[in-house]
Amino acid sequence: MPNKWTGRGNPYSKQEVRDRLQLTLTQNKAIIAAGAGTGISAKFIEKGGADLIIIYNSGRFRMAGHGSTAGLMAYGDANAEALNIGEFEVLPVVDEIPVICGVHGSDPRRRMWHHLLKVKEMGFSGVNNFPTHCIVDGHFRNVLEETGMGFIKEVEMVRLATKMDLFSIVYVAKPEEARLMAEAGADAIISHVGTTVGGSVGVVEATVTMENAISLTKEIMEAGKKVNPDIFFLAHGGPINTPEDVRIILDETKVHGFVGASSLERMGVEKSLTDLTKRFKELTL
């Protein structure tokens, strides 16, 4: 329900967001969450009927023409950027749907409880663990874990958010990570199966096939459900890009929905601007 003072819906309580998502499922519709890096993206994603908007620091890079992986690099303050996008661009223009804040849980400069208080006070209805170290692997992942900047910090952030009545929708890349997030009180778990394929700055080929994405998503769902059968499960990334791809993952895994960042915001802008400009250029004197 909209806030009686502003006419806008945010913030919602944890349960209110859950109730909204459950209503979508009751209507036999897939839950669609979309990343927004600018106010105009958020405004028209809402008009398109998305269930949630998520603010990622990577959205700033996407909408500047760079790859989403820039959001994982040391190119700025991820937590400050997400708050900035939310406060000055997205929250002022979103009328009704819940807005979720990306939180870099392993940031050693933040007293996380204090940061989450700011997130809640600003009007966000929940949190997402981005940038996330779950999609980092190999030697560098080991170094992050050994030096106190590992995935467990993201789990601790979600545990705090749960205590503060913030809805949490989280990325995981392994079944064990799904178990940890479920135990921390996560409301929704996203099976992250790799960087989105396609477009001008996406990866050329998915390192994970659709078959692998289906198998991994099923394993993640099973691990999460063992802890809490009431968790919402969504898919994201890799070969899951178009509505047709999402149709496959919905049918094969019985996942509840899809999270799109590049596949919604960036792809939509790239194609529509290109096509519209070409139509203008077809005009003759």
Side-chain angles (χ1 to χ4, degrees), residues 62-78:
R62 268 193 298 277
M63 301 313 286
H66 310 298
S68 299
T69 305
L72 296 172
M73 306 299 289
Y75 299 151
D77 185 333

Side-chain angles (χ1 to χ4, degrees), residues 36-45 53 60 85 88-94 265:
T38 66
I40 196 166
S41 298
K43 180 180 288 190
F44 289 97
I45 284 169
I53 288 176
R60 186 71 84 198
I85 296 170
F88 298 112
E89 296 197 44
V90 173
L91 286 167
V93 301
V94 171
E265 184 179 39

Side-chain angles (χ1 to χ4, degrees), residues 49-274:
D51 296 284
L52 298 173
I53 288 176
I54 305 177
I55 307 301
Y56 305 97
N57 74 311
S58 58
R60 186 71 84 198
F61 293 103
R62 268 193 298 277
M63 301 313 286
H66 310 298
S68 299
T69 305
L72 296 172
M73 306 299 289
Y75 299 151
D77 185 333
N79 281 319
E81 194 65 66
L83 290 182
N84 184 276
I85 296 170
E87 182 172 19
F88 298 112
E89 296 197 44
V90 173
L91 286 167
V93 301
V94 171
D95 284 321
E96 203 266 336
I97 65 174
V99 180
I100 309 300
C101 185
V103 176
H104 194 187
S106 62
D107 186 342
R109 303 163 302 172
R110 277 352 190 248
R111 293 170 297 160
M112 193 47 62
W113 63 269
H114 185 251
H115 182 68
L116 293 183
L117 281 174
K118 290 195 288 186
V119 167
K120 190 170 185 176
E121 181 184 44
M122 192 173 289
F124 287 100
S125 297
V127 297
N128 167 258
N129 60 325
F130 193 89
T132 176
H133 294 172
C134 79
I135 56 176
V136 179
D137 57 14
H139 175 68
F140 185 47
R141 174 66 179 270
N142 291 336
V143 170
L144 289 171
E145 299 291 340
E146 291 172 6
T147 54
M149 292 175 280
F151 182 76
I152 196 65
K153 290 289 187 180
E154 299 173 33
V155 175
E156 291 171 2
M157 181 273 289
V158 169
R159 186 172 287 112
L160 269 175
T162 299
K163 292 178 180 178
M164 296 169 68
D165 197 35
L166 283 162
F167 177 86
S168 56
I169 176 169
V170 300
Y171 284 118
V172 305
K174 301 174 182 176
E176 172 63 13
E177 293 167 351
R179 181 186 66 80
L180 290 171
M181 281 299 194
E183 290 173 348
D187 296 286
I189 288 177
I190 310 163
S191 171
H192 196 307
V193 296
T195 304
T196 303
V197 174
S200 64
V201 291
V203 295
V204 177
E205 294 183 7
T207 55
V208 176
T209 65
M210 182 61 80
E211 290 74 18
N212 293 148
I214 290 168
S215 176
L216 177 58
T217 299
K218 285 181 176 179
E219 291 173 10
I220 285 171
M221 291 175 68
E222 182 178 352
K225 283 180 177 179
K226 284 182 179 178
V227 178
N228 180 5
D230 294 326
I231 291 174
F232 300 100
F233 291 95
L234 301 96
H236 169 84
I240 312 167
N241 185 8
T242 66
E244 291 75 23
D245 299 329
V246 176
R247 176 75 271 159
I248 294 172
I249 207 80
L250 289 172
D251 290 343
E252 295 295 328
T253 68
K254 307 308 177 187
V255 75
H256 299 122
F258 171 69
V259 177
S262 294
S263 53
L264 268 162
E265 184 179 39
R266 176 171 62 81
M267 300 295 192
V269 170
E270 287 183 1
K271 178 168 173 49
S272 62
L273 282 180
T274 301

